[in-house]
Amino acid sequence: MKEGPDIARVAALIGDPARANILTALMSGKALTATELAQEAGVTLQTASSHLARLDQGGLLRPRKQGRHKYFSLASDEVAHVLEALMGLAAGSGHLRTRTGPKDLALRRARVCYNHLAGEMGIQLYQSLMARGFIAQYSDTLELQPSGAAFVRAFGIDIDTLSAARAPLCRDCLDWSARQSHLAGSLGRAFLSRFEQLGWARRDGKTRIIRFSAAGDQAFATTFDVPDPGSELPHE
Amino acid sequence: MKEGPDIARVAALIGDPARANILTALMSGKALTATELAQEAGVTLQTASSHLARLDQGGLLRPRKQGRHKYFSLASDEVAHVLEALMGLAAGSGHLRTRTGPKDLALRRARVCYNHLAGEMGIQLYQSLMARGFIAQYSDTLELQPSGAAFVRAFGIDIDTLSAARAPLCRDCLDWSARQSHLAGSLGRAFLSRFEQLGWARRDGKTRIIRFSAAGDQAFATTFDVPDPGSELPHE
DNA sequence: TTCATAGTTCGATGGTGGCCGAAGCATTGC
DNA sequence: GCAATGCTTCGGCCACCATCGAACTATGAA
């Protein structure tokens, strides 16, 4: 009679227009805030908050609190797979609404975010450290590996002083232009000040733009090279 | 805001418990009458009739009138695929409706999924064909290779009749219990009926369980051997 | 500190839809 | 013709839930 998992529960979650809009918007793979998702769904923030709580409880979303923002993304590839299959059934082509972030190109490239480097270059820094195994993610926290500590020391950052501080050494911070993770925490701050110290970059006085010199840009590119992730097998 | 594939409409159709029960019952591949489905869903005939009309209008069912009976079956493999995917999600979020029992074990071992073989044995069939190069995945579609066609013919399946049909020959279907692909499509159906024809297996009348005889199980194991499971990367 | 913004919670309202009893067709059998 | 069976439609009842205004909390900025 009643065999297998409760598909009605999950389907009912997706079955509301507002929630379906939210999930569809998240199919882009980018993390979006509650306010943005409310706009996407065409409902007020209160209503969206309720929907987001339900979707979260249903295991379809993965929320990340960041300051006073709360970013949501799909919980897994499996969720995206179900949504795509449903779109196929609905016999239409998924039309994705893309929302552009900051207009300023320089802001997208490199800017300061709570005293650490954000933007494309921040993401590159993060991904470079991650791809080389210098930092690793355990469940919910980011940890600096021994090899990473050596690298950081060699780069001229006094890691021991940082470790003594109360604030977490590593944190990942969601970028608001590209919506990908970059390095935050005291280590992130240390990297930025080291860049300034080395003369690679300087902060713009009035805006949040970080301007790299030509030499600094070059040095950054070689130091934080991101190895080609071509060997990774695309799942599905 | 209402543009694009209306996944909410489809999901809402599946999202009702009674309708979900109806669809789940039809996953067996057998066509069932309105009265039988009403029993299956645990509602009165009037209510079921309303549900069936909505499911039909939503394109999820294919009704066939026969005398004073009305038989329903799933509209397509795609519907079955969506349902299986939803089961995977629901099972993953740890919301199983049934406690694991002996019947559940048999279901995980071998069951029917819209007329093709699912469960561990279905996965084995799929992986065996895949590992030996009989079928291959191109971008989004599954294709039967020439060597595979020869194998299928030797196994006693009339491949040419199948190819003539408009429905896709091969399709992969995500298993909700093991979360791996198994073979669907008309070829998947042909394999299952061939198994029955050979006396290897027979379907349970009331459930979705497929019962293999001892000899059939043996023959299946040797015919669809999966070469060298050792070198495969431990996936998660 | 005070103000502004992001998000949550609460309460009230209204609409949608699931449900079933009863009546209405339709097909088969006598 | 009449009766029986399978299914559909109609009408009303009722529960659920999506929605939003307003109040509240939390974090960041001046």
Side-chain angles (χ1 to χ4, degrees):
Chain A
M1 183 175 294
K2 295 191 172 180
E3 50 184 59
D6 191 357
I7 87 174
R9 190 177 174 78
V10 181
L13 276 178
I14 311 175
D16 176 76
R19 286 193 294 260
N21 282 336
I22 287 173
L23 292 169
T24 303
L26 290 175
M27 281 287 283
S28 69
K30 292 184 177 180
L32 297 172
T33 68
T35 307
E36 289 169 323
L37 289 170
Q39 284 180 339
E40 288 290 342
V43 293
T44 61
L45 181 57
Q46 307 95 286
T47 304
S49 179
S50 151
H51 285 312
L52 290 168
R54 280 172 161 259
L55 288 171
D56 181 21
Q57 179 142 3
L60 299 187
L61 295 185
R62 188 171 66 97
R64 300 160 83 181
K65 245 194 283 189
Q66 184 127 9
R68 53 182 174 182
H69 293 273
K70 196 168 181 182
Y71 287 93
F72 291 89
S73 43
L74 296 184
S76 65
D77 288 357
E78 205 176 355
V79 176
H81 177 240
V82 166
L83 294 176
E84 204 163 314
L86 277 171
M87 286 180 183
L89 252 197
S93 58
H95 111 290
L96 291 179
R97 295 163 284 219
T98 50
R99 215 175 201 81
T100 52
K103 291 134 269 181
D104 198 322
L105 281 180
L107 268 178
R108 284 173 171 273
R109 179 79 183 134
R111 66 178 178 278
V112 72
C113 166
Y114 308 144
N115 279 326
H116 60 258
L117 179 63
E120 290 164 5
M121 298 186 72
I123 294 171
Q124 181 180 341
L125 168 63
Y126 178 86
Q127 291 184 345
S128 173
L129 295 177
M130 194 67 108
R132 288 190 277 178
F134 291 165
I135 52 179
Q137 190 167 22
Y138 290 127
S139 66
D140 222 16
T141 61
L142 221 55
E143 300 229 345
L144 184 66
Q145 304 301 309
S147 63
F151 174 83
V152 168
R153 276 200 198 88
F155 191 64
I157 292 177
D158 182 10
I159 190 103
D160 304 312
T161 309
L162 292 183
S163 307
R166 226 181 37 217
L169 189 62
C170 294
R171 250 178 70 198
D172 65 334
C173 179
L174 216 52
D175 209 279
W176 57 295
S177 55
R179 299 300 155 82
Q180 297 187 38
S181 286
H182 59 242
L183 185 64
S186 53
L187 183 60
R189 278 198 291 277
F191 264 115
L192 179 55
S193 48
R194 181 64 178 152
F195 295 156
E196 295 176 286
Q197 196 179 356
L198 288 170
W200 288 10
R202 59 178 177 79
R203 304 194 195 183
D204 189 281
K206 311 202 86 178
T207 70
R208 297 170 55 190
I209 296 175
I210 298 178
R211 302 199 180 276
F212 275 71
S213 68
D217 201 68
Q218 187 79 18
F220 182 92
T222 55
T223 309
F224 301 105
D225 176 44
V226 176
D228 192 7
S231 69
E232 190 72 24
L233 195 65
H235 184 252
E236 187 197 11
Chain B
M1 199 71 73
K2 276 197 67 176
E3 294 310 312
D6 196 355
I7 80 172
R9 185 175 155 75
V10 182
L13 277 178
I14 311 176
D16 175 75
R19 285 194 292 263
N21 282 337
I22 287 174
L23 292 169
T24 304
L26 289 175
M27 284 287 282
S28 70
K30 286 170 59 178
L32 297 173
T33 68
T35 309
E36 289 170 323
L37 288 170
Q39 273 186 323
E40 207 54 56
V43 293
T44 62
L45 180 57
Q46 308 95 284
T47 305
S49 177
S50 150
H51 285 312
L52 290 169
R54 296 188 61 163
L55 287 172
D56 181 21
Q57 183 157 0
L60 300 187
L61 295 186
R62 187 171 64 96
R64 276 180 299 179
K65 254 189 280 188
Q66 196 157 346
R68 53 182 173 183
H69 293 272
K70 195 168 181 181
Y71 286 94
F72 291 89
S73 44
L74 295 185
S76 66
D77 285 0
E78 206 175 355
V79 176
H81 177 238
V82 166
L83 294 177
E84 279 279 335
L86 278 170
M87 287 180 185
L89 252 197
S93 62
H95 204 275
L96 277 172
R97 286 192 305 190
T98 53
R99 302 131 195 125
T100 46
K103 181 180 153 193
D104 199 55
L105 281 180
L107 267 178
R108 285 177 182 271
R109 178 76 182 138
R111 68 177 178 279
V112 73
C113 167
Y114 195 55
N115 275 328
H116 59 258
L117 179 63
E120 290 164 4
M121 296 186 74
I123 294 170
Q124 181 182 342
L125 169 63
Y126 178 87
Q127 291 184 347
S128 172
L129 295 176
M130 195 67 110
R132 287 190 276 176
F134 291 164
I135 53 178
Q137 189 167 24
Y138 291 128
S139 66
D140 221 15
T141 60
L142 220 56
E143 301 228 345
L144 184 66
Q145 305 300 308
S147 63
F151 173 83
V152 168
R153 275 198 200 88
F155 191 63
I157 293 176
D158 182 12
I159 191 98
D160 304 311
T161 309
L162 292 182
S163 306
R166 221 184 47 215
L169 189 62
C170 295
R171 208 187 175 88
D172 66 333
C173 182
L174 201 60
D175 209 278
W176 65 261
S177 52
R179 308 222 203 154
Q180 298 188 39
S181 287
H182 58 242
L183 185 65
S186 53
L187 184 60
R189 278 199 289 278
F191 264 116
L192 179 54
S193 48
R194 182 66 178 148
F195 294 158
E196 295 178 281
Q197 196 179 356
L198 289 170
W200 289 11
R202 59 179 176 79
R203 305 195 194 181
D204 189 280
K206 312 203 91 179
T207 70
R208 295 171 56 194
I209 296 174
I210 297 177
R211 302 198 182 277
F212 275 72
S213 67
D217 201 68
Q218 186 77 18
F220 182 93
T222 55
T223 310
F224 301 104
D225 175 44
V226 177
D228 105 317
S231 74
E232 191 70 26
L233 266 191
H235 185 253
E236 191 164 14

